[in-house]
Amino acid sequence: MSQQSEYSEGDLRKTGMSLKHDREWDYELDRIVDAVEERDAKKVGLQFPEGLKRRGPKVADDLRELLPDDVTILISGQPCYGACDLDTYLMKRTDVFVHFGHSPMKNTDKVIYVPLFSNVDVFPIVEDALDELEVGDVGLVTTAQHMNRFEEMREWLEDRGFDVHTRKGDDRLTHEGQVLGCNYASADIDADQVLYVGGGKFHPLGLAMEHPDKTVVIADPVNNVVTVADTEKFMKQRYGAVHRAMDAEKWGVIFCTKIGQGRWEVAQDILDDNDDAYLITMDEVTPDRLRNFDMDAFVNTGCPRITTDDGPRFHKPMLTPGEYEIAVGNKPLDALEFDTFHGTW
């Protein structure tokens, strides 16, 4: 047997997260209790993203200890992938509705947003990322989970000689330097290199697609790895989907009914331009739900991540609106770009 490291790349034991107890997160229970008292609420709805749903029962237990016995707590079981993905059914049927894990996308008194900031130390991996950066101008972006350390990260880089460029994106973004899986407006800065601090590769991959002139360095404090965003494999996948759809005759046009993901005008433009396009309304877009539709290809006007993350799992080509324009001949092949939401609600 060959000698191997005790920990593999991405092992959470390298970050200390495996030892972190759920209740070390700040669920801002006092703010929820205050809202219940102010509204004389009898029903409280809790919504968690997919990766945090397992925390729901413990949060409910803690709230039950703080709230009167006649207050009912309901936990949403609907899929949730972002602040745009609110359980409107539960929201309309509760007096207080709490959305955990994301920052507000739209100012509203109806929803209490609890961001659940990460307590992982970002600076060891940011220091490792310096090997991939040239001292000088650099953009800095991160996700909602690490916004609590954003100013510290900026100052840390400045202390090491970097001229850090940051900005707040459009109205879909809450914080300066924040990026979403569908919006990278905060990276529209005057720098040829951008440091992304956060978990996963989807956000920085989209950023690199939207800004092909920039080098995007990924400092992942959760998986404890540093990489440089490489869009080649992703681009090949997307070009392949477009080519497979070029002979399509019947198109299914997906309109997502989730509150923050619907692009009605985009869907309508496709329908107006194509007599062989059919509007399909859905809340959750999955391969199984589309399998029964007799279409040659689909175009998704909802969340771009459905197309890019799950595209290969669909039985027929699934394209973004921009890719659709290429497939039907309205745009050249080199016009392919990453699908994003800018200012859309």
Side-chain angles (χ1 to χ4, degrees):
M1 180 180 293
S2 61
Q3 293 293 322
Q4 293 183 347
S5 170
E6 180 185 359
Y7 301 139
S8 62
E9 181 177 277
D11 194 312
L12 292 184
R13 287 174 291 176
K14 298 175 72 176
T15 67
M17 287 190 68
S18 63
L19 302 177
K20 190 172 81 172
H21 193 276
D22 287 353
R23 284 179 172 81
E24 289 185 13
W25 291 85
D26 182 8
Y27 295 102
E28 301 187 33
L29 300 185
D30 290 343
R31 185 153 68 100
I32 300 170
V33 171
D34 288 344
V36 171
E37 293 177 352
E38 290 171 5
R39 304 176 195 182
D40 192 24
K42 299 303 178 185
K43 293 183 180 179
V44 177
L46 308 180
Q47 184 180 27
F48 297 85
E50 295 309 287
L52 298 175
K53 277 186 166 59
R54 62 187 178 86
R55 307 179 190 274
K58 290 184 178 180
V59 175
D61 286 343
D62 289 346
L63 281 172
R64 287 194 184 105
E65 293 182 5
L66 300 172
L67 295 172
D69 293 338
D70 60 348
V71 175
T72 301
I73 299 174
L74 301 89
I75 302 174
S76 172
Q78 291 295 327
C80 177
Y81 301 100
C84 60
D85 199 355
L86 301 175
D87 185 344
T88 53
Y89 181 91
L90 183 61
M91 183 169 61
K92 292 176 181 178
R93 288 160 178 80
T94 50
D95 307 306
V96 170
F97 183 77
V98 188
H99 180 93
F100 293 95
H102 300 106
S103 56
M105 189 172 290
K106 185 178 182 181
N107 290 329
T108 175
D109 294 331
K110 296 182 179 179
V111 185
I112 296 175
Y113 289 91
V114 178
L116 292 182
F117 294 127
S118 172
N119 69 350
V120 174
D121 185 0
V122 298
F123 291 102
I125 201 66
V126 171
E127 185 166 9
D128 288 347
L130 296 185
D131 292 339
E132 301 291 345
L133 296 170
E134 296 183 6
V135 176
D137 295 327
V138 65
L140 176 63
V141 297
T142 189
T143 57
Q145 284 69 42
H146 301 288
M147 287 308 308
N148 57 324
R149 309 299 296 274
F150 187 75
E151 289 303 321
E152 292 179 68
M153 287 189 279
R154 186 214 302 267
E155 294 174 3
W156 190 93
L157 289 168
E158 290 174 343
D159 289 342
R160 283 151 183 80
F162 288 91
D163 186 5
V164 183
H165 296 257
T166 64
R167 69 183 294 265
K168 181 182 180 297
D170 58 29
D171 292 340
R172 197 172 176 87
L173 297 160
T174 307
H175 306 286
E176 181 172 343
Q178 180 186 6
V179 292
L180 304 174
C182 61
N183 189 302
Y184 312 99
S186 292
D188 293 336
I189 42 85
D190 187 19
D192 294 332
Q193 54 184 355
V194 177
L195 175 63
Y196 164 84
V197 181
K201 292 185 178 180
F202 178 83
H203 293 74
L205 200 62
L207 195 160
M209 284 279 293
E210 184 160 311
H211 299 279
D213 56 324
K214 300 182 188 298
T215 299
V216 180
V217 177
I218 308 166
D220 185 339
V222 176
N223 293 309
N224 208 30
V225 291
V226 174
T227 53
V228 177
D230 183 0
T231 63
E232 182 178 359
K233 180 179 179 182
F234 176 82
M235 290 291 288
K236 287 181 178 179
Q237 180 194 101
R238 298 318 310 154
Y239 278 123
V242 171
H243 277 291
R244 291 195 303 275
M246 284 181 172
D247 296 327
E249 296 181 1
K250 293 170 63 178
W251 287 85
V253 181
I254 309 300
F255 175 76
C256 186
T257 58
K258 291 183 177 180
I259 188 171
Q261 297 181 10
R263 289 185 283 183
W264 177 256
E265 292 182 359
V266 174
Q268 191 62 56
D269 286 345
I270 296 173
L271 295 170
D272 291 343
D273 187 56
N274 190 339
D275 292 336
D276 295 315
Y278 303 86
L279 185 68
I280 302 173
T281 64
M282 310 179 74
D283 57 351
E284 186 71 9
V285 184
T286 66
D288 288 343
R289 287 189 171 191
L290 291 181
R291 190 169 293 279
N292 291 328
F293 286 98
D294 183 24
M295 300 291 169
D296 299 317
F298 298 93
V299 53
N300 170 40
T301 67
C303 176
R305 296 196 66 161
I306 297 169
T307 308
T308 54
D309 285 18
D310 298 331
R313 297 176 53 224
F314 289 92
H315 71 294
K316 295 293 176 68
M318 171 69 80
L319 305 187
T320 68
E323 292 170 349
Y324 164 82
E325 295 295 330
I326 297 173
V328 298
N330 292 341
K331 291 183 178 181
L333 192 61
D334 60 8
L336 192 148
E337 59 185 15
F338 198 82
D339 187 25
T340 58
F341 281 173
H342 283 287
T344 303
W345 178 258

